[in-house]
Amino acid sequence: MEETKSFENLKSQWKFSFLITLILMLVLSIWNFKNRMYDWDMPGYMGCFYTILEPDKPKEIHARIYQEIKKEAPKKEYLDIIGVDFYDETRQWFAKETQSFSEQLPYFQIKVGYNLTLLALYKIGFTGPMSVTILSIISYFISGILMFFVLKTIFPGNPWLSVLLSVGICLLDPMTHMAQISTPDMFIFQFMMLFMIAFLRKWNQWTMFLIQFSIVIVRPDYITFSLTFYATQFIFEYISSKKLNYLIVVQSVFLIIIYVSILHYYNYPGWKALFYDTFIYRRPFISKQPAEFTMSEYFNFLLSKLLFFKKVTVSCIAMMIGIFCFTKDKYTRLFAICFAINIYIKFVLFPQSAAIRFFFPFIALLLMTFFYSLSKRFPNLKIGKIA
């Protein structure tokens, strides 16, 4: 009788804590919406879903995009987008020359799932610029709710700790920044939280594949995450049962085919071009200047950026030490290594050390794994004990 009463009490606490999380995430989402930013990625993504609707009108689309942004964005942010406020010759070319703008679109078009979602928002009545900004806000809200359920899985007996951690993480600078800008970073984060729920609750192989498929469709560059995850799963299952899971191989090959097909369809310039345009010189016309740099230049740049990545490195080391101290479970340890490796795979391919948002989804996975190992070591952990 007492156990039933205790269970019902805990159940009521979870319902109330979920309601509190909903309210707080709604308040935070409204705050982020009021502080939204119109950045220079916005024209590219607007160009993607406008081109889907009118593929044969590049000049009209180009002019319309900048007219709409000028109408809605604060003057200072619009001048930054067109490269006037902070002088940027390349952005000025994007704004005034259709060919220059169109040649940049493949960098944005490969985010197929993201662009189709933007198109859906546009079709239901949002303006072009608002479609891009509102999606980050919606994704922020959903991500906070999904994070609550991740933490509910990790701390099943502590609803208030789940509220505290989920809302606290959503208040971190990388999270609020991702919510306020016009990029797929916040959109992909919600899929990573869904993945974490599936991972912790050990959902079946096909459900996990659908999540991985969604991740690759939204951001094809996350193919490295999907493949390292499947490789880790393959190794773990072989070590555990001495059997080869060929379904993992088939699913991995299918994701690779999808990835290659997307890049081929949109004539993606490739990693070398992306690195050149991001870290060396953003070319006004991709077709008129080759992306040439040596591997020596690349490694020198990588090492210089690694010095500014020390906070992330220290945090990752601390979490990994915690995970290995709190649990001896091989499954948890192996996948923690997988998540940590993905942070540095992303860094090697895109060493933008000043922008943590590019790595934060993987950092969040490692953080959740740390909390999971902590919960196994201290199953009766309470907020008061942490304090």
Side-chain angles (χ1 to χ4, degrees):
M1 188 72 174
E2 190 173 333
E3 286 184 11
T4 303
K5 187 176 179 180
S6 177
F7 174 77
E8 290 299 324
N9 181 50
L10 182 61
K11 190 176 178 181
S12 298
Q13 286 187 51
W14 274 115
K15 289 180 180 179
F16 188 59
S17 64
F18 178 63
L19 178 62
I20 295 297
T21 304
L22 280 174
I23 294 170
L24 291 175
M25 286 308 305
L26 180 60
V27 171
L28 289 174
S29 298
I30 293 171
W31 176 77
N32 281 309
F33 178 75
K34 289 181 178 179
N35 290 278
R36 67 191 183 278
M37 292 179 275
Y38 292 76
D39 57 42
W40 79 284
D41 279 335
M42 179 179 283
Y45 289 114
M46 288 176 64
C48 292
F49 63 87
Y50 281 172
T51 300
I52 294 173
L53 294 173
E54 299 177 295
D56 301 322
K57 298 181 178 180
K59 287 187 177 180
E60 292 86 344
I61 288 173
H62 179 241
R64 179 182 167 192
I65 286 169
Y66 284 95
Q67 288 170 4
E68 291 184 359
I69 295 174
K70 184 178 182 180
K71 183 179 178 180
E72 293 190 29
K75 184 178 180 180
K76 184 178 177 63
E77 293 180 15
Y78 175 72
L79 292 177
D80 182 44
I81 288 172
I82 63 174
V84 173
D85 193 19
F86 295 99
Y87 180 75
D88 189 316
E89 184 182 5
T90 303
R91 294 190 195 184
Q92 291 182 14
W93 276 106
F94 294 164
K96 68 184 180 183
E97 177 58 53
T98 301
Q99 182 187 346
S100 175
F101 178 79
S102 298
E103 287 184 1
Q104 302 291 322
L105 286 185
Y107 285 132
F108 302 93
Q109 287 173 319
I110 61 169
K111 282 69 175 268
V112 178
Y114 179 68
N115 290 321
L116 290 176
T117 308
L118 291 176
L119 176 60
L121 290 172
Y122 177 72
K123 294 293 284 184
I124 65 174
F126 289 103
T127 64
M130 185 57 70
S131 297
V132 183
T133 55
I134 200 68
L135 182 54
S136 292
I137 303 298
I138 294 170
S139 301
Y140 176 82
F141 177 80
I142 295 173
S143 294
I145 301 305
L146 289 173
M147 195 181 303
F148 173 83
F149 283 107
V150 172
L151 291 163
K152 182 181 178 182
T153 303
I154 294 172
F155 302 109
N158 202 332
W160 301 112
L161 182 59
S162 299
V163 175
L164 180 67
L165 290 174
S166 56
V167 175
I169 291 169
C170 286
L171 282 168
L172 294 175
D173 284 344
M175 287 290 287
T176 57
H177 183 59
M178 288 190 294
Q180 295 168 9
I181 59 177
S182 308
T183 71
D185 297 314
M186 195 72 255
F187 188 67
I188 193 66
F189 191 87
Q190 61 190 338
F191 288 95
M192 300 299 275
M193 288 299 99
L194 182 61
F195 160 81
M196 200 64 196
I197 293 172
F199 171 73
L200 292 172
R201 297 184 181 182
K202 294 185 171 67
W203 288 358
N204 68 63
Q205 187 75 34
W206 282 108
T207 304
M208 183 63 82
F209 170 74
L210 289 175
I211 296 172
Q212 292 291 353
F213 175 78
S214 300
I215 288 171
V216 172
I217 288 292
V218 171
R219 288 204 62 147
D221 55 310
Y222 273 48
I223 185 68
T224 51
F225 167 69
S226 297
L227 295 181
T228 52
F229 169 74
Y230 277 132
T232 305
Q233 184 183 9
F234 187 87
I235 292 168
F236 177 79
E237 290 190 12
Y238 179 75
I239 292 173
S240 302
S241 63
K242 302 301 180 184
K243 294 181 180 178
L244 300 176
N245 187 340
Y246 292 105
L247 181 58
I248 293 175
V249 178
V250 171
Q251 291 177 345
S252 298
V253 170
F254 184 79
L255 290 178
I256 292 171
I257 293 171
I258 293 295
Y259 169 75
V260 173
S261 299
I262 291 172
L263 268 55
H264 178 74
Y265 182 80
Y266 289 107
N267 297 310
Y268 183 65
W271 171 81
K272 189 175 182 180
L274 175 65
F275 186 90
Y276 187 90
D277 284 330
T278 305
F279 301 111
I280 299 176
Y281 173 63
R282 187 77 182 206
R283 296 167 293 170
F285 294 89
I286 291 177
S287 60
K288 295 181 181 181
Q289 181 180 344
E292 296 294 342
F293 60 92
T294 65
M295 291 308 294
S296 176
E297 290 174 319
Y298 163 71
F299 283 115
N300 287 335
F301 182 84
L302 189 68
L303 290 173
S304 69
K305 289 293 183 179
L306 189 59
L307 295 174
F308 298 99
F309 210 54
K310 55 182 177 294
K311 288 184 179 179
V312 173
T313 299
V314 170
S315 299
C316 290
I317 292 172
M319 285 188 284
M320 288 299 295
I321 290 172
I323 290 166
F324 274 72
C325 287
F326 294 143
T327 182
K328 294 182 179 180
D329 179 48
K330 292 179 181 178
Y331 182 83
T332 305
R333 286 182 170 186
L334 193 59
F335 281 99
I337 294 170
C338 171
F339 301 150
I341 286 174
N342 269 279
I343 296 171
Y344 290 92
I345 290 176
K346 181 66 176 177
F347 179 79
V348 167
L349 295 175
F350 198 80
Q352 184 64 283
S353 58
I356 300 300
R357 65 184 175 90
F358 293 111
F359 315 96
F360 197 73
F362 303 118
I363 296 171
L365 294 186
L366 189 60
L367 179 61
M368 294 299 141
T369 308
F370 170 77
F371 287 148
Y372 179 75
S373 63
L374 183 67
S375 71
K376 295 304 176 185
R377 179 66 178 82
F378 304 103
N380 297 316
L381 187 66
K382 301 293 181 183
I383 293 178
K385 290 184 178 180
I386 292 177

